[in-house]
Amino acid sequence: MAKNKNDLMDKIVSWAKRRGFIFPSSEIYGGFSAVYDFGPYGVELENNIKKFWWKTMVQKRDDIVGLDSCIFMHPKIWEASGHVGGFSDPLVECKKCNSRLRVDHLLEDIGVMADEKMSEEVINEIFSKNKDKVKCPNCGSSNFSDVKKFNLLVKANLGNFTEDWTKDPTYLRGETCQGIYVNYKNVVDTTRVRIPFGIAQIGKAFRNEITARQFIFRTREFEQMEMQYFTHPDKEMEAYEKLREYRWQYYMDLGLKKENLRWLKHENLVFYAKEAYDIEYKYPFGFKELEGVHARGDYDLTQHTKFSGKDLSYNDPVTKEKYIPHIIESSVGVGRTALAVLCDAYTEEKVKDEERIVLKLNKELAPIKIAVFPLLKNKPQLVEKSFEIYSELKEDYMCEFDDNGNIGKRYRRQDEIGTPYCVTVDFETLEKDNSVTVRDRDTMEQERIKIEELKDYFQKKFK
Ligand code: GAP
């Protein structure tokens, strides 16, 4: 019954499939590692998360604009960004079963912290010292190869029609923000933004992750929501503190429990970073990175200036000062957010000796906002009336009509997918006062509302 059981993750994985939220990719072909598909309710949840993020990061801000850059970009971009040379994870091979494993994860499992950003030599040394304690999770052997760094960029042959295209590949983007950096000048030149300002983008990213672990937490194809904020060099840290506060408040508004969130300051900063924090969420497998909020200095635009040969400095129209803007970023995955939201909302509780699973989601994130039922399926007048109400409400809300099974089962099903309100048409509706019952997901209390007042009623409820 209680949450926080070790098996919470297993429960969420099977519930997410059973209830049409998340499916393993290519299941009928035996699955495809580290890729997941979002089902009919999952896609609604994802879309609502993205809408919520966009509203917070673009709509409500006078100083941030949106962008949709492409997945494929000039390959030189990935050289300039450092991804071709340095975007890699430390890997070992188990000599007994040939599994390929991530060294920092193996070390973490025995309580030794190693950072994926450490050099090959340093990580090799740490691993050698601890080799005897580390066991292959697949066969239990401690016989490993030396540590190698494995590049995470996914290669493609877009526009390259030669046999040996791997020598001159294009890349599926490893992060969305590079599309922002290379469009920064276009945005400055074509819109009315002035520094400080931000550019926000949501889109797919791809990484050849070595190990597939923890469900949708770490996948090879995922979606990022990133905002890059361009500042005057002297104002970077002031803007950074503000952004940290803003992003924390976002998670409060999203409805995540405060006790399940914390800040983690990076101790091993990459050479160009001024400061870096992660917002970590307490997933069933422990506190892990949900979002990164980083102060990146002038690294990105300096690199792109160098590699493209184009001057990316900013000319301040008021002060006439010319400088390379410094960048602070907020970067979070849609899937990682969805997993945090599901873990936070998934609740098992006892109701009069019966167990119910209820997804106590923020209403704005709920896949279905209102479900409408006739009390009985075999009474055409009830069915007709409820379908009429459903047809009206679906103009404004994502609704579901259900006349299957008994009413108790229909309520339970909607509870499980997090539907905040269920409307039921019963005999009183037809015979008495044209009112329906509206049941609240969390309290399970019902109140009678006149049909003609339903629109106003829900408008207030969803405000
Ligand atoms: N532009 C900075 C950047 O990409 P990152 O820490 O590599 O930084 C940012 O990724 C966020 O993207 C992470 O905090 C996480 O939410 C999400 N993310 C990264 N890799 C992921 C993966 N393999 N699967 C799912 N989400 C991932």
Side-chain angles (χ1 to χ4, degrees), residues 253-295:
D253 298 343
L254 197 67
L256 292 183
K257 296 185 188 95
K258 202 172 176 180
E259 65 269 24
N260 289 339
L261 290 164
R262 71 177 186 195
W263 285 104
L264 177 80
K265 189 173 182 185
H266 286 209
E267 295 305 334
N268 299 309
L269 285 179
V270 279
F271 71 93
Y272 53 80
K274 292 254 185 71
E275 198 160 273
Y277 274 86
D278 291 341
I279 296 176
E280 292 194 324
Y281 179 78
K282 193 177 176 190
Y283 293 100
F285 39 86
F287 270 106
K288 297 275 173 207
E289 176 184 341
L290 167 62
E291 152 158 2
V293 187
H294 303 160

Side-chain angles (χ1 to χ4, degrees), residues 27 33 231 251 329:
E27 215 182 358
S33 193
T231 71
Y251 288 108
E329 83 168 345

Side-chain angles (χ1 to χ4, degrees), residues 133-236:
K133 283 182 253 159
V134 177
K135 300 246 173 302
C136 168
N138 300 323
C139 73
S141 164
S142 289
N143 192 3
F144 296 105
S145 68
D146 281 346
V147 178
K148 281 195 196 85
K149 286 267 192 164
F150 180 79
N151 193 284
L152 301 185
L153 277 182
V154 179
K155 290 179 182 163
N157 65 345
L158 190 87
N160 186 332
F161 306 100
T162 61
E163 287 288 308
D164 56 352
W165 62 269
T166 50
K167 290 191 187 130
D168 190 16
T170 45
Y171 302 97
L172 276 77
R173 67 182 170 198
E175 58 181 8
T176 55
C177 60
Q178 295 303 327
I180 295 179
Y181 304 146
V182 299
N183 274 295
Y184 133 87
K185 255 282 190 234
N186 284 336
V187 174
V188 170
D189 291 346
T190 57
T191 68
R192 293 172 56 214
V193 296
R194 292 289 167 258
I195 276 181
F197 74 93
I199 304 177
Q201 161 157 249
I202 299 176
K204 291 267 185 176
F206 302 82
R207 295 182 188 180
N208 233 338
E209 298 285 356
I210 296 163
T211 40
R213 303 209 310 183
Q214 296 145 343
F215 194 36
I216 56 168
F217 179 79
R218 188 182 306 284
T219 51
R220 293 188 177 130
E221 174 178 339
F222 57 99
E223 231 171 342
Q224 285 188 315
M225 302 183 282
E226 297 202 291
M227 193 283 296
Q228 308 293 314
Y229 200 75
F230 300 78
T231 71
H232 184 283
D234 298 344
K235 296 281 164 68
E236 179 180 4

